[in-house]
Amino acid sequence: MFGVMDADFNGTFITLGGFVEMDKYRYMYFVILLTLYILILCTNCTIICLIWIHRNLHEPMYIFIAALSLNSLLFSTALYPKLFFDVLSKKQIIVHSACMFQYFLYYSFGVSDFLLLSAMSYDRYVSICKPLHYPTIMGKRTVIVLLTLAWLLPACVDVPLTIFISKQKLCDFTTKGILCNNTILKLHCVKSTFVTLYGLFVMMSFAVVPVMFILFTYIKIFIITYHSCAEVRKKAAETCLPHLMVLFIFSCLCLFDVIIARLESDLPKIVRLIMTVQILVYNPLFNPIIYGVKMKEIWKHIKGLFYQLVN
């Protein structure tokens, strides 16, 4: 029976019960997931390499886009290999310690996305609203500090929460999800007030506040550009609209994660599976596509790359 202490592996096994009709759709799941992962790797690596190679893209705006693509790669690589193994296995299980590590990575990279999007909105605000001070404010040191904080702060915040959750006693050993996210909290014998309050603090500080900050900066940008010439308005639209599209999609995905955790027992199994897959796919795959198509300078280099490959 899974969920008991096993002397051979020295760990508690948790069964991932969120898959639908594994015996029937096992290989279809694998082909779909593998295809999606390859697309995520190709699209994000293309964006990163183009920004790395071309010197005219060595600007804060494009560096933050490359960082967002790198974060998507790390997020996907932390989750997809285990999914490949699960869909090809007869039993979808994970050791409790590995589950907690996956939980830590899942939310650390997720929070990093919000902070990177906040840094990008600040960069656009300074560029459009304070163009004369842009080189001074958004220097190399500022970019390095913002990138460091975007990856370091989420890890520091998630470590104590993950440690506390890992020490909670389990009364159930079968989660209704396909990975270790907030659904594992349903396995605890007692609902922890600390986890609830700490989770609320993290959500407010690293999700709600960044979203409010991003919306505030873009409202300021649109107010200022509204009174400017058509060329300035066009530049603002070209650089800001892709960021807002990404923010909207990512916010919806985070809402899915909350809904899955809160309404787990009320959602049909297939609905939970579809919502979880959307979290795994949309942001990592659509971000580079949005930036690749909507950002004029990146799109120009992508067309040049395709032209070289064809010829």
Side-chain angles (χ1 to χ4, degrees), residues 21-51:
E21 297 193 40
M22 282 296 295
D23 293 335
K24 185 177 181 181
Y25 299 115
R26 182 184 313 279
Y27 296 107
M28 185 186 75
Y29 283 148
F30 178 77
V31 171
I32 292 174
L33 288 173
L34 181 61
T35 303
L36 291 172
Y37 185 55
I38 291 173
L39 288 173
I40 289 169
L41 289 178
C42 292
T43 53
N44 284 285
C45 285
T46 299
I47 295 295
I48 294 171
C49 290
L50 287 175
I51 293 173

Side-chain angles (χ1 to χ4, degrees), residues 212-232:
M212 297 301 293
F213 173 77
I214 293 168
L215 293 177
F216 171 78
T217 56
Y218 284 133
I219 289 172
K220 292 281 289 184
I221 288 171
F222 290 134
I223 289 174
I224 291 175
T225 54
Y226 178 77
H227 300 288
S228 302
C229 63
E231 185 178 347
V232 174

Side-chain angles (χ1 to χ4, degrees), residues 222-280:
F222 290 134
I223 289 174
I224 291 175
T225 54
Y226 178 77
H227 300 288
S228 302
C229 63
E231 185 178 347
V232 174
R233 290 197 296 269
K234 182 180 178 182
K235 178 185 176 183
E238 287 177 350
T239 58
C240 294
L241 288 180
H243 301 332
L244 289 175
M245 291 171 63
V246 170
L247 176 66
F248 175 76
I249 292 173
F250 186 59
S251 298
C252 289
L253 296 179
C254 292
L255 184 61
F256 283 179
D257 187 74
V258 173
I259 291 173
I260 291 171
R262 295 291 179 269
L263 302 178
E264 185 182 78
S265 58
D266 300 323
L267 292 174
K269 196 173 184 179
I270 185 64
V271 174
R272 290 199 306 270
L273 178 63
I274 292 173
M275 291 174 70
T276 304
V277 170
Q278 289 183 75
I279 296 172
L280 296 173

Side-chain angles (χ1 to χ4, degrees), residues 9 17-18 24 38 62 82 107 132 138 156 161 176 180 189 204 208 219 231-232 239 250 261 275-276 280 298 307:
F9 293 94
K24 185 177 181 181
I38 291 173
Y62 299 111
K82 180 63 171 69
Y107 287 106
L132 298 178
M138 293 303 298
C156 292
L161 180 61
K176 295 182 179 180
C180 295
C189 299
M204 291 298 296
V208 176
I219 289 172
E231 185 178 347
V232 174
T239 58
F250 186 59
M275 291 174 70
T276 304
L280 296 173
I298 296 178
Y307 179 79

Side-chain angles (χ1 to χ4, degrees), residues 92-108:
Q92 293 72 50
I93 58 174
I94 185 171
V95 179
H96 182 251
S97 57
C99 183
M100 296 314 306
F101 184 60
Q102 188 182 76
Y103 176 92
F104 167 76
L105 294 177
Y106 179 86
Y107 287 106
S108 291

Side-chain angles (χ1 to χ4, degrees), residues 91-238:
K91 295 176 180 177
Q92 293 72 50
I93 58 174
I94 185 171
V95 179
H96 182 251
S97 57
C99 183
M100 296 314 306
F101 184 60
Q102 188 182 76
Y103 176 92
F104 167 76
L105 294 177
Y106 179 86
Y107 287 106
S108 291
F109 290 132
V111 171
S112 291
D113 264 0
F114 273 120
L115 297 184
L116 288 171
L117 289 171
S118 299
M120 294 165 71
S121 70
Y122 177 69
D123 171 74
R124 291 299 83 210
Y125 170 77
V126 177
S127 174
I128 296 172
C129 301
K130 299 182 179 181
L132 298 178
H133 300 285
Y134 182 77
T136 303
I137 297 175
M138 293 303 298
K140 182 178 179 180
R141 178 176 295 181
T142 303
V143 173
I144 292 174
V145 169
L146 290 175
L147 290 176
T148 302
L149 290 176
W151 276 305
L152 189 61
L153 276 180
C156 292
V157 170
D158 283 341
V159 163
L161 180 61
T162 304
I163 292 175
F164 184 86
I165 292 175
S166 66
K167 296 183 181 298
Q168 298 300 295
K169 184 179 179 182
L170 302 178
C171 284
D172 190 2
F173 300 95
T174 302
T175 176
K176 295 182 179 180
I178 62 173
L179 49 83
C180 295
N181 54 10
N182 273 331
T183 56
I184 65 172
L185 300 181
K186 301 287 186 178
L187 307 181
H188 295 162
C189 299
V190 179
K191 184 177 180 180
S192 171
T193 303
F194 171 78
V195 171
T196 302
L197 294 178
Y198 195 91
L200 182 62
F201 163 75
V202 172
M203 184 178 69
M204 291 298 296
S205 301
F206 295 97
V208 176
V209 171
V211 168
M212 297 301 293
F213 173 77
I214 293 168
L215 293 177
F216 171 78
T217 56
Y218 284 133
I219 289 172
K220 292 281 289 184
I221 288 171
F222 290 134
I223 289 174
I224 291 175
T225 54
Y226 178 77
H227 300 288
S228 302
C229 63
E231 185 178 347
V232 174
R233 290 197 296 269
K234 182 180 178 182
K235 178 185 176 183
E238 287 177 350

